[in-house]
Structure formats: C-alpha cells, structure tokens
Amino acid sequence: DTGVSQDPRHKITKRGQNVTFRCDPISEHNRLYWYRQTLGQGPEFLTYFQNEAQLEKSRLLSDRFSAERPKGSFSTLEIQRTEQGDSAMYLCASSSRRAGGRISYNEQFFGPGTRLTVL
Amino acid sequence: GQSLEQPSEVTAVEGAIVQINCTYQTSGFYGLSWYQQHDGGAPTFLSYNALDGLEETGRFSSFLSRSDSYGYLLLQELQMKDSASYFCAVRAAGNKLTFGGGTRVLVKP
C-alpha cells in the first residue's frame, strides 16, 4: 500500500454512460498524475496537477475526459459518453519534492487503479 | 514526441542476473526511471538516473548513458518474487513520465 487510494476499484458501464473516478493522493504530495494502462502496455500519461492547477493534458485526451483537483487534495477524472475503447485501468499517482526522505519529485507513488469496462 | 524500446520478455532461473535494456528517443529529457509492476498490482518505483553512470540499490542497479540515449536495469540474485513486468520511463518537464511497453521477467526455479 503506497498511501494513494482510488475509488472505485472496478467499474462496469454501458457505452454512452458517464463515469467518474476519485483519487486520494498521499496527503503532503502536491503533484498528482493520471495515467491509463491497457493490458500488456505501459501506463500512458493523461494529465497532471500541481496543487489545484492542471498544468498539462495529453493530446490523446479527448474532450470527453475532464479532471479536477478543486482543493489541491483529492482529484476526480470524469469520462463522458464512454466508448468501448475507454476500457482500461486508470491509474493515479502522486509525488512531492520531498519523498521518502529524499529531495526529489522523481518517485511517483501509484494507487491500485480503477479498472473500467465499457460494454 | 518520445518513444522507448525495451525487450518484451526475459526468462531466467533463480539466482541468475538479468539485464533489461532500454533505448529512448525523446525531446526534453530529464532522466530515466524504472518501475516494477506485478500482475494486478500498481507500478512501484525502483530507481531514477539523471546523470550518466550506475546507481545501485540492493540487488537492483540502473545505468544511464545520455549520449547513447540508453539505459539498463540489472537484476541480481534473482528471486521468484522478482517475476513481474519492468518499465523504463523517461521523465520530461513537469515530472511527466513516458513509459516503455514493459519487459516481462519470468523467474524459474
């Protein structure tokens, strides 16, 4: 357990429905990242926040995807009008300038992920 | 854009040494990270190299050559619990990580 939690762990939905996932990072971490991972592939960057500011979004992220981190703590990722191609594991990670006693943003701590299945 | 290449699978026996190579093409390179992921689990951080050379952490070591756009992860004294997927990842500005496709390591008795 890295200290990053995600909810729900599994989500099954029908095509066209909206879904929302939540991530609670390690409390003192000011950076939060969202990734998507499909079977047999590495995680793919979606977006990241520093505190409440969303600083970068992947060009792969369509306008059906939106993420928020309203108070610089937890974050939500919403997918509107889901498609079968959205089926994947959605991973959240957090990092801090000081992590594990080391001064570094380099170590990202990943949550267990939310597995989305779109039928 | 960024791209990373690493072997898809490696098989070795307990106690052996395995080297996983990673070559990358990238703009805005800050460093190379390595993550381990067991089936059904989340990626966990192993190491990070920003400068050329070897970093050693217990049984695992990581190497970087920036001029060759190349790095490797060395797993020594392999144990059954080391069976997992290993990802190299390039760190760009803002700490964004771009991951390779992963190398599945299978350790046999």
Side-chain angles (χ1 to χ4, degrees):
Chain A
D1 184 359
T2 62
V4 178
S5 61
Q6 293 187 244
D7 184 69
R9 295 292 304 276
H10 302 274
K11 178 71 177 178
I12 300 174
T13 191
K14 293 182 179 179
R15 188 177 54 186
Q17 298 295 303
N18 299 343
V19 294
T20 300
F21 310 141
R22 176 178 170 125
C23 170
D24 287 89
I26 295 171
S27 60
E28 63 268 27
H29 285 188
N30 63 338
R31 288 189 176 174
L32 185 148
Y33 313 81
W34 285 98
Y35 294 87
R36 175 172 63 190
Q37 186 175 26
T38 53
L39 197 62
Q41 301 297 316
E44 177 185 44
F45 171 79
L46 295 178
T47 188
Y48 95 95
F49 294 82
Q50 178 153 316
N51 301 314
E52 65 275 9
Q54 187 173 18
L55 297 187
E56 187 172 349
K57 289 175 62 173
S58 168
R59 284 173 294 207
L60 301 173
L61 208 63
S62 79
D63 57 8
R64 296 185 298 106
F65 288 70
S66 62
E68 294 183 341
R69 195 183 183 197
K71 298 181 180 178
S73 56
F74 73 92
S75 175
T76 59
L77 177 69
E78 181 182 18
I79 309 174
Q80 295 182 324
R81 304 181 303 282
T82 52
E83 302 172 356
Q84 289 185 323
D86 298 330
S87 295
M89 176 74 83
Y90 289 83
L91 294 163
C92 172
S94 68
S95 70
S96 171
R97 175 163 172 75
R98 184 180 292 276
R102 297 183 296 276
I103 300 177
S104 169
Y105 274 120
N106 299 320
E107 181 174 357
Q108 294 188 14
F109 294 79
F110 282 81
T114 295
R115 182 168 295 285
L116 173 66
T117 302
V118 182
L119 302 176
Chain B
Q2 292 164 324
S3 67
L4 296 90
E5 288 197 14
Q6 52 182 126
S8 59
E9 192 170 299
V10 172
T11 301
V13 297
E14 275 188 295
I17 299 173
V18 161
Q19 179 172 316
I20 302 171
N21 298 321
C22 174
T23 57
Y24 58 88
Q25 289 184 319
T26 183
S27 55
F29 177 86
Y30 280 65
L32 189 70
S33 297
W34 289 91
Y35 283 78
Q36 179 193 59
Q37 186 176 32
H38 287 97
D39 285 347
T44 56
F45 174 83
L46 292 177
S47 68
Y48 175 76
N49 295 69
L51 303 175
D52 287 358
L54 190 68
E55 295 276 346
E56 296 179 80
T57 309
R59 295 186 298 112
F60 295 175
S61 303
S62 58
F63 172 83
L64 176 66
S65 169
R66 295 176 68 119
S67 60
D68 295 322
S69 298
Y70 163 77
Y72 67 72
L73 179 70
L74 195 69
L75 314 179
Q76 298 177 293
E77 300 171 22
L78 273 180
Q79 301 176 6
M80 297 297 292
K81 67 179 181 179
D82 298 330
S83 291
S85 292
Y86 294 82
F87 296 91
C88 58
V90 165
R91 182 196 159 201
N95 228 47
K96 163 187 167 180
L97 292 177
T98 299
F99 285 82
T103 299
R104 192 170 183 86
V105 173
L106 178 61
V107 181
K108 294 186 172 180

